[in-house]
Amino acid sequence: MHSPTAVRTAPTLRRLVAALVTLLVTAATVLLSTAPRAEAATLTPVFFFGANPGALGMYTYVPDGLPADAPLVVLLHGCGQNAAAYHARSGWAEHADAHGFALVYAEQRFTNNVNRCFNWFSPGDVARGSGEAASVRAMAAYAVAAYGLDDGRVYVSGLSAGGAMTGELLAAYPDVFAGGSIVAGIPVGCADSVLAAFTCMNPGRTLTPELWGDEVRAKNPDWTGPWPRVAVWHGTADHTVVPANADASVAQWTDVAGVPGEPDSTEDLGGSTTAAYHGGGPTTAAVARYTVTGMGHGTPVDPSAGCGSAGAHFLDTVCSTGHTAAFWGIGAPVG
């Protein structure tokens, strides 16, 4: 996760300009942007998907022959990345093809954040019905309707700033997302400013599980459940977003789910990775924590198993995508 500075300047004017540009592009490509299918592992831009107060970009990948009522996974890249890079390296394309689900990629714009970080620390971007969170929610609704997907099996995953935003989306829209995967991310409600964001990243904040849980409940106080099932991935050698954030996320979501903070069971997944399951087993737990020993800041991938490709912040260790899909029940067990 890069510096979260330079969040927004003149947001109303900038977003108005962005909206006008989007409208012009849409008019020129309207025949191409009506629920097209992806081909040859490429992404398809969607220029108009409904309300877009966060001024984000949307891309889709829909495998050929996808059956009706298939699942949907929404993906949020890390700082300095874009949708194409995350699609090419994260392993989600391979698993979408193999197991039959659609992908939506939200893409941050330079005009929103000069480092292309999702603004997980900006209150106006994480509240239900507001900013970037509302834009992502609109993308999910568009994809479900356009491709005939199952609105009860919509999931979200992200890396770093995208992981932090994933948690915020789960808290703001528990009625939309059945599950999430927070990869090298930050607990919900940790920061409400740029300065606070740096503290959250390193050394992290310390709260009781109940207080962390309150941060989630405050995002949607009328929601009585069920809450999304949450996977938390983190490397023990991550010095950018320190592992204390994974501790806090697990404490937060186990409190929200009402399950023990101590795991029911643990499992060695290979690739120096241990899984700990809270409130159930590998496919039923409310919260699963995946700890990758010795890994730094990034998305765990396993190119030798056909799961993504290694590169900056895509680290050759274990197939986090495959294990996450299996945890959600939309993929086969890995191994």
Side-chain angles (χ1 to χ4, degrees), residues 34-142:
T34 305
R37 293 280 177 168
E39 296 179 358
T42 59
L43 291 179
T44 300
V46 177
F47 298 109
F48 180 75
F49 50 85
N52 187 15
L56 301 178
M58 175 182 176
Y59 296 83
T60 64
Y61 179 71
V62 183
D64 291 334
L66 192 71
D69 294 322
L72 169 66
V73 179
V74 178
L75 297 163
L76 309 175
H77 60 77
C79 296
Q81 298 176 341
N82 58 25
Y86 209 74
H87 182 65
R89 292 194 177 274
S90 64
W92 281 105
E94 297 94 320
H95 283 80
D97 288 338
H99 301 296
F101 51 82
L103 304 175
V104 162
Y105 293 83
E107 185 174 85
Q108 182 60 286
R109 301 305 196 195
F110 177 83
T111 48
N112 286 342
N113 185 298
V114 296
N115 291 316
R116 290 186 179 270
C117 304
F118 289 99
N119 290 308
W120 56 273
F121 46 84
S122 171
D125 279 305
V126 298
R128 184 180 177 92
S130 177
E132 292 173 11
S135 293
V136 176
R137 193 270 176 269
M139 293 179 198
Y142 172 92

Side-chain angles (χ1 to χ4, degrees), residues 175-190:
D175 52 331
V176 173
F177 298 104
S181 178
I182 300 167
V183 184
I186 307 282
V188 173
C190 189

Side-chain angles (χ1 to χ4, degrees), residues 145-182:
Y147 304 115
L149 306 176
D150 184 352
D151 64 2
R153 292 191 294 167
V154 179
Y155 305 89
V156 60
S157 177
L159 165 67
S160 193
M165 184 61 84
T166 291
E168 297 290 345
L169 287 164
L170 295 174
Y173 294 103
D175 52 331
V176 173
F177 298 104
S181 178
I182 300 167

Side-chain angles (χ1 to χ4, degrees), residues 11 90 107 289 293 317 330:
S90 64
E107 185 174 85
R289 176 176 183 168
T293 301
T317 49
I330 63 172

Side-chain angles (χ1 to χ4, degrees), residues 2 13 24 28 35 39 86 96-97 134 174 181 215 222 226 260 278 284 291:
H2 296 283
L13 177 61
L24 290 172
E39 296 179 358
Y86 209 74
D97 288 338
S181 178
E215 294 288 347
D222 295 330
H278 302 255
T284 61
T291 302

